[in-house]
Amino acid sequence: MNPGWPVQLELRIDWSEIDLFGHVNNVSIMKYFQAGRVLCLEKIGLMRSQAETKIGPILASATCQFRKPLHYPGTVVVHSRVDLVKSSSFRIVHRLVDDAGDLAAEAQDIIVLYDFNQRSKIAIPDELRSPIACLEAAPP
């Protein structure tokens, strides 16, 4: 495990993710970050919460900076951590590293806690703050 990144997910680059220019398409890279985000949300318990109580996460914002092209065949590792928690939202930061250990892309997601019954954002309750804190880490 890489210190400072409590969530790590290794993914295989599939041939179908290659575009006409011979590198992994930007949409596929966003899917890699989505997989990291969902793993974070599962570890926090928000996916279960949404299924059971209809209180769960919504993605308010996603940004990405592409640093290096990726190619088939290969693998990537999505490193993720929470770096900011507010009253009703938190930020997940990610980095995508290729199998040579080089940084290929960086991303940030803003997640808002949402009550799907009331159709409104809500404050993050204390019982969720502890699992979120487990994904917080000092920058590497």
Side-chain angles (χ1 to χ4, degrees):
M1 175 168 288
N2 192 328
W5 299 94
V7 177
Q8 297 183 43
L9 177 63
E10 184 173 341
L11 300 167
R12 183 183 66 144
I13 296 173
D14 287 327
W15 181 81
S16 64
E17 297 168 337
I18 304 304
D19 63 18
L20 291 173
F21 302 105
H23 56 71
V24 175
N25 187 276
N26 63 305
V27 173
S28 295
I29 291 173
M30 294 304 286
K31 286 182 180 180
Y32 300 157
F33 287 129
Q34 176 180 296
R37 176 174 57 249
V38 169
L39 183 56
C40 285
L41 298 175
E42 287 173 346
K43 287 183 178 283
I44 293 168
L46 283 171
M47 303 308 285
R48 184 181 64 250
S49 172
Q50 184 171 344
E52 294 172 357
T53 67
K54 303 298 183 218
I55 293 174
I58 58 170
L59 180 64
S61 172
T63 61
C64 181
Q65 292 76 44
F66 303 98
R67 306 290 185 204
K68 177 186 174 187
L70 295 168
H71 299 87
Y72 175 86
T75 59
V76 293
V77 178
V78 181
H79 300 265
S80 305
R81 64 182 169 83
V82 172
D83 78 334
L84 177 68
V85 181
K86 293 186 172 182
S87 62
S88 61
S89 66
F90 59 96
R91 181 171 59 203
I92 302 173
V93 293
H94 312 273
R95 68 179 189 163
L96 185 67
V97 177
D98 67 13
D99 44 15
D102 295 332
L103 181 65
E106 297 174 286
Q108 295 184 0
D109 301 326
I110 303 296
I111 306 296
V112 173
L113 191 60
Y114 193 79
D115 184 332
F116 289 87
N117 294 313
Q118 301 297 318
R119 297 183 182 175
S120 64
K121 70 178 181 174
I122 61 170
I124 299 171
D126 290 339
E127 63 267 14
L128 284 178
R129 287 189 177 274
S130 179
I132 291 171
C134 289
L135 298 185
E136 284 187 279

